[in-house]
Amino acid sequence: MPDRESPLGGATTVTADSGPTDERIHRIRRRLERLIGVAATEGNAVRPLRNGDEIFAAMLDAVAGARHTVDMMTFVYWRGDIARRFAEALSDRARAGVRVRLLLDGFGSRLIERDLLDRMSEAGVEVAWFRKPLYLSPLKQNHRCHRKVLVVDEQTAFTGGVGIAEEWCGDARNSHEWRDTHVEVQGPAVDGIAAAFAQNWAECHTELFDERDRFVSHRPSGNAIVQVVRGSASFGWQDMQTLMRVILESAEERIRLATAYFAPDDYFIELLCATARRGVDVEILLPGPHTDKRVCQLAGQHRYEALTACGVRIHQYQPTMMHAKIITMDGVVSLIGSTNFNRRSLDHDEEVMLAVMDTEFTASLDAHYDEDLKVSELIRPDRWKRRSLLQRARETAVLPIRRYL
Ligand SMILES: O=P(O)(O)OC[C@H](O)CO
């Protein structure tokens, strides 16, 4: 069988020896490429990182090893020892002559300590703010930069769910250590993640690139096929919605979704229901007793009855805040990045999500999901129907603002 042509991304290697999984991956890849118009790339190494202990160690290690450039973008930059450690690591590299750029969302990072900003600027870190609310029209204020990106020397990139704050430290051992997942990427997909940074940086800073950008070519680093999908702060249908739709509509056996904030619109509720009704095993993992945004949780809980009636299983994570943003499909494709399953991520904000078409990576995320389920509680439809009037009233009370959640 000859290689198949991928007009956007070169040839996909589907050979006579390729099995049904490769065929499947090829079909999904081509759907995503033609419907989103962004090439997937081959030859990527992808490493899942679970919880702050792994995530922050890998990110700080990469920063410490930077020789040319560091680009970092985050929605949340709050407080705590980890906030200081990142500021010190970035400052250290800037003092060593590395070009260090830090892009902070004007709303999400408003709690950053002033002296950290001063120290970073003095060291030569270029700090820019994405849409500081005070200076904006209300319409623009609603569209935030929710992407979490770190790119080091144009060759190693990170994205996923974490913000820079003490809440994310540790290993989800108790309610002070949030559960989250990030991914480290090497290979050609780094370009897409770097472009997500560049797009937002261009809005906030006069210089987009300079002589320190080497525009390196990527060598194959692993076996994963990765498409990088950017969601834009805009109005109307977005690529991020197409990505979710393609994955849900392509599922044949199983969808596993984990998200910090679950408050999608009617369209995506119906799509989840339709997916379950056609026999796909659909599981959703959400925060339980520990959530930092109860309004969001209530908006999601308002949908539990409809979803469970279609056969969707909903689990609430017990030990701490569940903050990961992950979907796995049929053991072959994973989505990982900054996108929550809510209107804010799907309709309003700048997001970045990787579609990782790789069985090994997906198996790792599924194994993490299995472990998470062990410490989660399944919502029992009959019991949920008997929830209190107060709970029902609270769910109804948040409905008027659900489009902003
Ligand atoms: O928006 P996320 O998913 O990055 O989570 C950060 C929260 O907004 C913190 O309250």
Side-chain angles (χ1 to χ4, degrees):
M1 191 187 298
D3 283 5
R4 291 181 184 171
E5 245 184 73
S6 165
L8 291 164
T12 308
T13 313
V14 180
T15 65
D17 300 331
S18 299
T21 303
D22 292 327
E23 287 276 351
R24 184 84 201 289
I25 285 178
H26 177 76
R27 278 204 309 279
I28 295 164
R29 171 186 181 166
R30 288 297 305 128
R31 273 182 200 179
L32 289 170
E33 286 185 329
R34 193 170 73 68
L35 293 168
I36 296 177
V38 172
T41 58
E42 296 174 18
N44 295 289
V46 281
R47 179 161 74 110
L49 301 165
R50 183 165 46 162
N51 299 330
D53 280 351
E54 282 182 22
I55 298 166
F56 290 140
M59 289 171 74
L60 287 166
D61 248 23
V63 170
R67 294 289 168 266
H68 305 277
T69 54
V70 175
D71 288 336
M72 183 166 156
M73 165 165 72
T74 182
F75 178 65
V76 164
Y77 200 126
W78 293 340
R79 286 152 192 245
D81 185 51
I82 194 68
R84 283 186 290 278
R85 286 177 63 198
F86 267 92
E88 275 159 27
L90 296 171
S91 301
D92 175 70
R93 290 296 77 206
R95 278 192 293 267
V98 171
R99 188 198 62 201
V100 182
R101 305 189 291 188
L102 175 63
L103 182 56
L104 302 169
D105 182 76
F107 178 76
S109 292
R110 67 195 182 283
L111 299 181
I112 191 171
E113 285 169 288
R114 185 78 240 170
D115 73 303
L116 290 192
L117 287 171
D118 292 343
R119 291 219 302 264
M120 283 192 279
S121 295
E122 277 161 27
V125 176
E126 298 173 40
V127 181
W129 288 92
F130 185 89
R131 301 185 188 174
K132 278 210 167 180
L134 279 180
Y135 313 135
L136 293 174
S137 81
L139 274 183
K140 237 180 167 183
Q141 283 184 38
N142 184 42
H143 300 285
R144 309 305 327 165
C145 184
H146 194 246
R147 297 172 180 170
K148 299 101 167 82
V149 162
L150 170 66
V151 184
V152 175
D153 287 343
E154 303 172 47
Q155 280 171 320
T156 302
F158 298 82
T159 190
V162 299
I164 309 301
E166 61 191 354
E167 284 78 351
W168 278 272
C169 290
D171 196 21
R173 287 167 296 220
N174 58 57
S175 62
H176 303 293
E177 302 181 354
W178 289 8
R179 168 77 186 87
D180 217 327
T181 301
H182 238 56
V183 58
E184 179 185 301
V185 181
Q186 281 170 334
V190 171
D191 279 355
I193 303 170
F197 173 89
Q199 182 185 26
N200 297 134
W201 184 260
E203 180 179 321
C204 310
H205 199 275
T206 48
E207 284 194 9
L208 180 55
F209 62 92
D210 62 27
E211 72 289 345
R212 287 166 292 186
D213 289 287
R214 296 167 302 143
F215 296 103
V216 295
S217 299
H218 296 286
R219 292 203 202 93
S221 304
N223 298 318
I225 299 172
V226 178
Q227 185 190 40
V228 183
V229 179
R230 285 183 260 162
S232 278
S234 161
F235 296 95
W237 191 267
Q238 295 197 40
D239 288 345
M240 200 53 73
Q241 291 158 301
T242 300
L243 173 67
M244 298 296 176
R245 186 169 168 179
V246 170
I247 293 303
L248 290 173
E249 289 183 2
S250 303
E252 292 173 3
E253 292 159 23
R254 184 169 75 177
I255 286 287
R256 294 178 127 185
L257 186 161
T259 185
Y261 308 111
F262 180 81
D265 62 9
D266 294 345
Y267 176 84
F268 278 100
I269 291 291
E270 174 47 30
L271 186 52
L272 286 166
C273 284
T275 306
R277 278 198 299 265
R278 64 185 172 77
V280 175
D281 181 17
V282 179
E283 287 187 284
I284 302 179
L285 177 60
L286 302 174
H290 305 284
T291 177
D292 72 327
K293 286 193 185 143
R294 179 82 172 121
V295 281
C296 233
Q297 186 177 47
L298 287 165
Q301 287 176 336
H302 183 67
R303 307 298 202 139
Y304 281 11
E305 248 180 88
L307 288 161
T308 53
C310 302
V312 174
R313 278 180 294 150
I314 301 173
H315 307 266
Q316 292 193 155
Y317 189 72
Q318 298 299 304
T320 182
M321 171 72 187
M322 155 55 62
H323 196 265
K325 299 108 173 51
I326 301 274
I327 297 180
T328 69
M329 187 260 268
D330 292 352
V332 292
V333 182
S334 307
L335 306 188
I336 177 166
S338 63
T339 307
N340 286 304
F341 211 79
N342 59 0
R343 300 281 293 266
R344 178 137 292 287
S345 278
L346 293 170
D347 293 357
H348 303 305
D349 289 349
E350 301 276 305
E351 304 283 1
V352 63
M353 205 70 174
L354 310 188
V356 181
M357 291 162 255
D358 185 77
T359 50
E360 204 179 311
F361 182 77
T362 305
S364 300
L365 295 189
D366 277 333
H368 295 173
Y369 203 97
D370 285 333
E371 288 178 33
D372 291 338
L373 290 191
K374 287 184 196 151
V375 287
S376 299
E377 274 183 13
L378 179 69
I379 296 294
R380 309 260 170 215
D382 46 339
R383 275 179 57 188
W384 184 254
K385 272 191 197 141
R386 296 197 302 272
R387 67 198 183 283
S388 71
L389 280 175
L390 182 61
Q391 165 71 20
R392 284 173 189 272
R394 286 183 174 140
E395 290 170 22
T396 310
V398 303
L399 294 183
I401 56 161
R402 65 190 182 280
R403 73 173 58 241
Y404 300 107
L405 298 174

